[in-house]
Amino acid sequence: MVPSTTPASLHFSLARTLEVLERTPAVLHALLHGLSDDWTEHNEGPGTWTPSEVVGHLIHGERAHWMARVQRCLSADDKAFAHFDRQAHLEESAGKSLPQLLAEFEALRKRNLAALVALEITGAQLEGIGLHPGLGEVRLREVLAAWAAHDLAHIGQISRVLARQYREAVGPWRANLRVMG
């Protein structure tokens, strides 16, 4: 493959976005399924989330926001996005096991991606505008790029939470492991 002279980060691609969105459930399953609660029920301190809570947050986004935002950008009338309650998942996921959360996320993502692909979005539609309550006007391509980046950010967050549980145990290697903070 010949390297591009223009960084891919400068160009949005729905196909590249789908590559990430399709893989996230499997990545989370491979990373988390079967780990003991000792790994998955710890966070980084007050106001932070456990890996299980992060999966709950991703579920809330699948259920209430990402596809709704896509539809708003494609709508001729109602462009306003609903407020994203970043804590709603804590109540919604209460009492559910991590395997239940992973299965729920996978099912919701599969449904949402099927709906997204069925829209057969054109290049012109990617410029459709929605109204975010805090950011103002956003384009559909930005919503889709943010969806993929959101997944990747939370995969990184989960990895960091897991790694930091061995912050002291790694001894002198801590200096060489930036994830340890």
Side-chain angles (χ1 to χ4, degrees), residues 7 30 40 52 63 90 98 103 106 120 129 131 140 151 156 161 164 167 175 179:
T40 61
S52 295
R63 183 177 293 121
L90 297 173
L98 182 55
E106 180 180 11
E120 298 181 356
I129 293 174
L131 296 174
L140 177 55
D151 276 13
V161 170
R164 286 188 177 171
R167 193 165 193 256
V179 70

Side-chain angles (χ1 to χ4, degrees), residues 11 13 26 29 44 48 79 83 103 106 116 120-121 161 168:
H11 302 288
S13 163
H29 188 272
E44 296 175 281
T48 66
K79 299 288 193 176
H83 170 73
E106 180 180 11
L116 180 64
E120 298 181 356
I121 295 171
V161 170
E168 300 305 321

Side-chain angles (χ1 to χ4, degrees), residues 18-161:
L18 289 171
E19 289 176 16
V20 171
L21 295 176
E22 291 169 345
R23 285 166 174 75
T24 301
V27 169
L28 293 175
H29 188 272
L31 185 60
L32 297 172
H33 191 267
L35 286 181
S36 68
D37 288 352
D38 285 343
W39 284 106
T40 61
E41 297 307 319
H42 284 90
N43 60 34
E44 296 175 281
T48 66
W49 296 336
T50 67
S52 295
E53 290 168 337
V54 173
V55 176
H57 169 76
L58 292 169
I59 288 168
H60 179 69
E62 289 300 305
R63 183 177 293 121
H65 293 286
W66 292 114
M67 282 305 294
R69 290 174 175 189
V70 167
Q71 294 293 347
R72 297 284 192 216
C73 290
L74 295 172
S75 171
D77 301 320
D78 189 2
K79 299 288 193 176
F81 294 176
H83 170 73
F84 192 110
D85 180 351
R86 288 188 174 90
Q87 303 301 319
H89 68 282
L90 297 173
E91 186 175 316
E92 292 171 1
S93 298
K96 294 181 182 177
S97 69
L98 182 55
Q100 288 173 311
L101 294 171
L102 290 168
E104 184 177 356
F105 176 65
E106 180 180 11
L108 288 168
R109 177 57 62 88
K110 186 178 283 190
R111 183 191 74 195
N112 283 343
L113 291 183
L116 180 64
V117 170
L119 291 172
E120 298 181 356
I121 295 171
T122 66
Q125 288 174 311
L126 288 172
E127 298 306 312
I129 293 174
L131 296 174
H132 186 280
L135 302 174
E137 285 190 1
V138 294
R139 300 194 181 282
L140 177 55
R141 65 180 156 74
E142 295 167 334
V143 169
L144 295 169
W147 191 359
H150 181 262
D151 276 13
L152 294 169
H154 283 301
I155 290 168
Q157 176 187 13
I158 289 169
S159 296
R160 186 183 69 240
V161 170

